[in-house]
Amino acid sequence: MVLARSEVAENPVRGPGARGKSARARARRGNAVRLGLMAVPVAFFAVFFAYPVAAIVGRGLKADGVWQFGRFGEVLARPEIGGVLWFTLWQALASTALTLLIALPGAYVFARFDFPGKQVLRAVVTVPFVLPTVVVGTAFLALLGRGGLLDELWGVRLDTTVWAILLAHVFFNYAVVVRTVGGLWAQLDPRQEEAARVLGAGRFAAWRRVTLPALAPALAAAALMVFLFTFTSFGVVQILGGPGFSTLEVEIYRQTAQLLALPTAAVLTLVQFAAVGAILAVHAWTVRRRERALKLVDPAQTARRPSGAGQWTLLAGVLLSVLLLILLPLAVLVERSLGGSGLAYYRALTSADANSGTFLVAPIEAIGNSLRYALVATLIALVVGGLAAAALTRRAGRLVRGFDALLMLPLGVSAVTVGFGFLITLDKPPLDLRTSWILVPLAQALVGVPFVVRTMLPVLRAVDARLREAAGVLGASPLRAWREVDLPLVRRALLVAAGFAFAVSLGEFGATVFIARPDNPTLPVAVARLLGRSGELNYGQAMALSTILMLVCAVSLLLLERIRTDRSGEF
C-alpha cells in the first residue's frame, strides 16, 4: 500500500483526480468534435432545405408582412381539397393493407426456405424499391394502359383507376415488407414455435401466440414505411391516376406549377409535413421497441429446404406472385421499348430533330446528365451524411436527438416545394445558383442524406467504443481515431450508403422537374416530358428511356447485394 501511494505521489497523472480531469478533458474535446461534425450538415440543411421551404411557406401565408393563418381554414374547407386529403389517406391505407397481404408470404419464404437462386430473386424483388416512381408508373402504364398488354389481350384497361395505383404501390413496396419483416423472421428461433406445437397448439395458434407477437414491431415498422411512401406518392399517381385522382403531393405540384396558387400550396405543404412527421415519430418508436425486445439467432440456422406439399405449394405461389407482380411489368416495359421495329425507339433518342417539340437536345443526353448529377449528389450526400452519422455515433441529449430528427425532414416535406423554393430563393448573390448545374445535385443530395445516415449509423454505433478510447489514450486525435479505427470497419457500409444515395439521386423527380434546365434534362424528367406528349414515337422513347433507367438502377442494386454488410434485412 505504501508503495502504491508513493507511485501516485511521484506520478500524479495516474491519480484519481488526474484521471477525472483527463476524462472531463476528453469529454469536452469529444463534444467540441461533435459540434464541429454537426456544423456542415446543419449549414447544408439550413441553406438548401429550411431556407427554400420557409420562403415558399412565407410567400403563401404572408400578406403585407402579416401571417394569414386564416388561410388554413379557407383551404381545408374547400370540398375539392377535402377530397384530396381523403383520397390520400384511404389509398395509403389500402395500399399498405394490400402490400402486407401479398408480401407477407414472400417474407416467410425468404426467411425460412433455402432454395436455388434465392439471393438473385432477393435482389430482383428489391429492384422496384430503388426504381424511380416515374419508371414504375411507366411500367404499369405499359401493362394496364391504353394499348397495354391487358388491353391487347382482353380489352381491359385499368389506368386512370385506383386499382392501377394500388397495384403499382404494391410493386414498389413489396421489398419493404420482405426486407424488414422477412429479415427479422429469419432471425427468430423456430424452436419456440415448435415447442408450442409440442404442447398441443395447432400450427396457426402457435404462429399467432408465439411468432406474431415477436414480429409485431417489425410488421408495424414495415406498415408505417409503406404508408409513408404511399401517402407521399407523386409519380405513380400522376402517371396512372389521371385527372380523377390526386394525392397531397400531386395537388401541391398542381397548385404550384400550374395554378401558381402559393397560399394553397403552402397550407398543403404544412399539412403533409405534420402528417409525415407524426408517421416518422411512430416509426422511430417501433424501431426502438424492436431493438430492445428481441433476442435473435443466426439466420443460417433457420433456413431449410422446403419439405412437404404445403411448403412447396407456398414457394410456388410466391414465385408466381413475383413473376406476375414484379417481373411482368418490367418485362412489358422492355418489350414496349422495342416495339415492333427493334431498336428504332432507342435510335430516335439520339436525334434532337425527332424531338424538336419536346427537347432542346437529343433525349439520349439525359443519360449522361443523370449519371453526372447522381455522382455529384452522391458525393455531397456522403460528405454531409457521413459527418452527421459520425456526430450521432454516441447518443447524447436533446440537441443531438433534434439533429437526428432534422436529417429526416426532407422525407416529410414535399419535394415539389423544395424544388420551387430553390428557384425563388437561390437566385441572388452570394447564392445565385438558379442557372447553375449544381442546383440539381444539391436537391438530389437532400433525399440521399437520410439513406446515408440510416445505413452508416448502426454500423458506427456497433464499433467498440474502447477502440476509440485506446486510440485517444495513445495520443491519437479524434480525426485520426476516426480514420484509423472507424473507417476501416465501416468501409463496406460506406459503399452501401453510396449505392443507395446514387440510386435515389438518379430517380429523384419531384424537385428536379422544377430545376432541371431544358437543355440538361434528367432521365425521370425526360420520361415525364415524353409521356406528356401524344404520339407513338414519344411513347416508345419514354419506354426506352425508362428501360435504360431501370437497368442502371438494377445494376446498382446487384452491386449492393454483393457488398451488403449484414443479412439483417434492414435497408
Side-chain angles (χ1 to χ4, degrees), residues 154-170:
W154 297 293
V156 176
R157 287 183 56 194
L158 295 178
D159 62 322
T160 68
T161 70
V162 72
W163 284 108
I165 296 172
L166 296 180
L167 290 174
H169 283 163
V170 174

Side-chain angles (χ1 to χ4, degrees), residues 282-304:
V282 175
H283 179 214
W285 176 77
T286 61
V287 169
R288 287 196 300 271
R289 179 183 171 188
R290 178 179 60 180
E291 289 176 345
R292 291 194 194 111
L294 298 178
K295 294 181 180 179
L296 308 177
V297 299
D298 185 354
Q301 301 175 5
T302 64
R304 302 172 183 174

Side-chain angles (χ1 to χ4, degrees), residues 10 15 56 77 129 154 217 265 302 391 432 506 531 546 559:
E10 292 174 2
I56 286 291
F129 182 76
W154 297 293
T302 64
D432 189 2
L506 197 66
L531 288 176
S546 296
L559 291 176

Side-chain angles (χ1 to χ4, degrees), residues 101-139:
L101 179 66
I102 295 176
L104 277 178
Y108 176 78
V109 165
F110 279 101
R112 295 303 196 202
F113 293 169
D114 187 15
F115 53 91
K118 177 179 176 179
Q119 295 306 318
V120 174
L121 190 63
R122 177 187 172 95
V124 168
V125 301
T126 314
V127 166
F129 182 76
V130 299
L131 284 180
T133 55
V134 172
V135 174
V136 175
T138 305

Side-chain angles (χ1 to χ4, degrees), residues 32 101 125 244 356-357 365 393 427 472 483 493 509 540:
L101 179 66
V125 301
S356 57
E365 293 190 16
T393 298
D427 61 345
R483 188 176 67 247
F509 176 64

